[in-house]
Amino acid sequence: MPANTPVGGTLINRVANNPAKLRAEAERLPAITLPAAEVWDLKLLAIGGYSPLNGFVNEHDYASIIARGALTDGTPWTVPITLGVPGAGKLAAGSRAALKDEQGNLLGAITIQQLYPRRFEDEAKGVFKTLDEAHPGVARIRAAGQTLVAGEVDVLPDTLPAAEQGLIYKPAEVRAEIDKRGWKSVVAFQTRNPIHRAHEYLLRTALETADGLLIHPLVGETKSDDIPADVRTACYRTLIDKYFPKERVILAALPAPMRYAGPKEAIHHALVRRNYGATHFIVGRDHAGVGNYYGTYDAQQIFETYAPGALGIVNLNFEHSFWCNGVGGYATSKTSPFGKEQQLTISGTKLRELLAKGEYPPAEIVRPELAEILMAYYKTL
Amino acid sequence: MPANTPVGGTLINRVANNPAKLRAEAERLPAITLPAAEVWDLKLLAIGGYSPLNGFVNEHDYASIIARGALTDGTPWTVPITLGVPGAGKLAAGSRAALKDEQGNLLGAITIQQLYPRRFEDEAKGVFKTLDEAHPGVARIRAAGQTLVAGEVDVLPDTLPAAEQGLIYKPAEVRAEIDKRGWKSVVAFQTRNPIHRAHEYLLRTALETADGLLIHPLVGETKSDDIPADVRTACYRTLIDKYFPKERVILAALPAPMRYAGPKEAIHHALVRRNYGATHFIVGRDHAGVGNYYGTYDAQQIFETYAPGALGIVNLNFEHSFWCNGVGGYATSKTSPFGKEQQLTISGTKLRELLAKGEYPPAEIVRPELAEILMAYYKTL
């Protein structure tokens, strides 16, 4: 049994198979400069992480995604993948444009299907459920170009390094690993933090009834106060090497920007993981949330608004977990009847303080091997 | 969202609504004496635990169940529920017969649809995968009547006590509890042993991603060396009272005989739990096995031979679990990379020895409150 089918049935591949020709063509084309987050989106488009999208969405899909959480053909999709420019300039529907990063590197080209205005308020409310520009996702679409360029992309192979943070990251690579291991069920875990034991408990719990685990850290743009991807990667590797059976875990990078869109991004994260071959997706409390914009369970409940099977990937909802002395192990409010006085917990602030001072938190909260990696990082700050 | 639909869509109810009339009629009817195991089957038929069956199966269904694991209409069903008599005697198709237990108590009546010969070899091989009469399930059908009586049953309310081992046991009661609690997903756990921490780990793990847990001990005929149902019930109650959030657990009895049919009984157990409203069913290693008749994973793998959704209940497969010092918690071979030297385990024989001597096993293996109940029981032997 192969990895789960991609969204829409076919894994998209928009990597140019004649890079020299594309480079030659691009020299004569008007150029669009992509901000860092859009570069990550372009990479994912190229490798099929956003299948069935083969480029930046057009106006109909844009409106449909925002209004209904689906493409115009009904395929579930909750986050519009857009390319904003300050204005049309030399760009015109039916023509091609070069795509460059902010350093001027050529990334690929787009066949412009359409130019249309960003509907900022609709998008902010529909995707992020707020107009508040203090929300990092809203701030990004506010700062981005308000003219959207739709169209299929062609991406230079150079834009796609062999690895991201030393990790495999292409859906085809992860799917091949799943096939090689013969897994029928694969649970994917989205993370942008080191995995402490509370999250490790969710992983272990999910893995008990699945064939394998895809630990899938997001390595694209995140908030500036997040721990850097290379430090996180070192933590993931150490955790898996020491505490998990290697044959049951795939560690791969997700080269995507965080949007902090809460429930809409939870569905988005699940669909993208389906493209990576996963059959199940872990959804914790306030998944992909930020501040107080979303209810604790919004990101779990949104899955229930889709018909069974419609997403093609199953959400596994989890509560916060904690070491419980009463139970004598990890548990959650669903599985422990004991009160808070039996819980071993520590605030994020306190944890950072301890690590910065080079002091080990309790091993029931942070594995000592991971604590050491984090101590070394905090020393550099 | 209500409890899961019963197999076949409708919960069968064959409890006589005019017991006085049934009693009067039964006096004039020839009587069939049911062995203890068949009395339990009759109870389950009456309360819909075997829905869509409304009585003992006829020859077509009998042959279809044995050959294909399904009723003639295609409904999955793996264990034929039969009533054997030594010979036809005064029984005839189209007539009625009284049903009595071995103490002569009237239980109900059957409308005889058919009399047909038990095909011992087919049934033994098809259901139990062996002709070995040392197998307790095979021994039972060998010892039972070889003429099978098919037909719809009517059961006296007196046959159905208010509780079994002090527990609710009717599908309608359990379904009402599920509805009252508003659970959308319910994991059922079959057991005929006290729940030590290794099984508690499976329960806790399964409950993390479900709304609720149905701890569903089988209280009908089991092997004579099993711990008595009342002792087990005391253990279940104590475990739930102290170590689980009460609002997440239903404890109910399953008034069924054990057949030790391994994989075929695993499907049977799952279907019966669907009739009790469960959506998920825990399947461990060698589920419902005995001796070395079945492969370790046979009872898990048989679920894959049904099309997705065909059973209407989802199996959750588990490995054996153990306290692992390396992990610092419970784990299985799927989630722990550590060797046996890190596992805290104890043989069943050693455990019984300790308890019989009034010595506590490690709390990581048996909760002290349960150890005390078992010590008291072993003292009485």
Side-chain angles (χ1 to χ4, degrees), chain B residues 201-278:
Chain B
Y201 172 70
L202 309 191
L203 298 183
R204 214 172 277 288
T205 299
L207 180 55
E208 288 297 359
T209 58
D211 291 334
L213 189 62
L214 170 59
I215 297 185
H216 209 192
L218 184 144
V219 301
E221 296 296 294
T222 64
K223 288 185 297 163
S224 54
D225 58 346
D226 280 355
I227 289 173
D230 59 336
V231 178
R232 289 188 283 131
T233 301
C235 289
Y236 303 140
R237 280 199 196 286
T238 301
L239 177 69
I240 297 167
D241 282 353
K242 170 109 200 235
Y243 291 102
F244 280 87
K246 283 174 214 28
E247 69 278 12
R248 293 281 180 189
V249 183
I250 296 172
L251 175 62
L254 178 73
M258 268 306 289
R259 292 177 160 85
Y260 305 95
K264 291 293 178 95
E265 193 162 14
I267 297 289
H268 180 69
H269 278 165
L271 293 172
V272 170
R273 269 51 181 232
R274 181 178 155 194
N275 286 332
Y276 277 88

Side-chain angles (χ1 to χ4, degrees), chain A residues 123-171:
Chain A
E123 185 175 345
K125 277 196 249 172
V127 177
F128 301 100
K129 298 195 184 287
T130 178
L131 290 173
D132 186 354
E133 293 181 26
H135 183 295
V138 175
R140 175 155 85 85
I141 65 165
R142 175 83 277 178
Q146 299 301 304
T147 297
L148 300 183
V149 187
E152 208 169 29
V153 295
D154 297 294
V155 178
L156 287 171
D158 305 9
T159 305
L160 304 165
E164 294 280 5
Q165 298 300 332
L167 303 176
I168 60 168
Y169 69 98
K170 296 174 185 167

Side-chain angles (χ1 to χ4, degrees), chain B residues 4 7 186 188 267 269-275 277-282 303 309-315:
Chain B
N4 197 1
V7 183
V186 187
I267 297 289
H269 278 165
L271 293 172
V272 170
R273 269 51 181 232
R274 181 178 155 194
N275 286 332
T279 56
H280 293 74
F281 183 64
I282 292 175
F303 282 84
L311 296 170
I313 183 163
V314 176
N315 54 309

Side-chain angles (χ1 to χ4, degrees), chain A residues 4-253:
Chain A
N4 197 1
T5 55
V7 183
T10 307
L11 193 69
I12 297 293
N13 176 11
R14 298 304 306 168
V15 184
N17 46 26
N18 191 337
K21 193 176 158 196
L22 181 55
R23 284 188 178 284
E25 179 204 7
E27 282 180 20
R28 300 183 306 268
L29 296 175
I32 299 172
T33 299
L34 278 65
E38 279 75 358
V39 174
W40 291 109
D41 279 340
L42 181 69
K43 289 186 189 191
L44 264 179
L45 284 169
I47 58 182
Y50 291 149
S51 301
L53 304 187
N54 57 18
F56 294 98
V57 297
N58 66 26
E59 189 165 19
H60 282 303
D61 280 332
Y62 177 75
S64 176
I65 291 165
I66 292 169
R68 280 180 293 281
L71 304 179
T72 48
D73 68 4
T75 304
W77 202 266
T78 51
V79 170
I81 307 300
T82 61
L83 176 56
V85 292
K90 292 180 194 167
L91 308 174
S95 70
R96 298 256 291 166
L99 302 173
K100 294 186 174 177
D101 66 18
E102 288 174 336
Q103 291 72 47
N105 300 306
L106 183 67
L107 307 171
I110 183 169
T111 305
I112 302 174
Q113 182 196 356
Q114 199 179 26
L115 292 151
Y116 62 99
R118 186 189 295 277
R119 291 195 260 154
F120 169 74
E121 290 205 359
D122 290 349
E123 185 175 345
K125 277 196 249 172
V127 177
F128 301 100
K129 298 195 184 287
T130 178
L131 290 173
D132 186 354
E133 293 181 26
H135 183 295
V138 175
R140 175 155 85 85
I141 65 165
R142 175 83 277 178
Q146 299 301 304
T147 297
L148 300 183
V149 187
E152 208 169 29
V153 295
D154 297 294
V155 178
L156 287 171
D158 305 9
T159 305
L160 304 165
E164 294 280 5
Q165 298 300 332
L167 303 176
I168 60 168
Y169 69 98
K170 296 174 185 167
E173 293 168 327
V174 174
R175 301 173 73 85
E177 269 298 314
I178 291 169
D179 291 354
K180 196 176 81 186
R181 295 168 188 232
W183 293 348
K184 289 167 198 154
S185 51
V186 187
V187 184
F189 180 62
Q190 150 70 27
T191 176
R192 55 189 171 85
N193 289 302
I195 296 175
H196 300 317
R197 283 199 62 187
H199 277 129
E200 186 188 328
Y201 171 71
L202 309 191
L203 297 183
R204 215 173 278 288
T205 299
L207 180 55
E208 288 298 359
T209 57
D211 291 334
L213 189 62
L214 170 59
I215 298 185
H216 209 192
L218 183 144
V219 301
E221 296 297 294
T222 63
K223 288 185 296 162
S224 54
D225 57 345
D226 281 356
I227 289 174
D230 60 335
V231 178
R232 289 188 283 130
T233 300
C235 289
Y236 304 141
R237 280 200 195 286
T238 301
L239 177 69
I240 296 167
D241 282 354
K242 170 110 201 236
Y243 292 102
F244 279 87
K246 282 173 215 27
E247 70 277 13
R248 293 280 181 191
V249 184
I250 296 171
L251 174 62

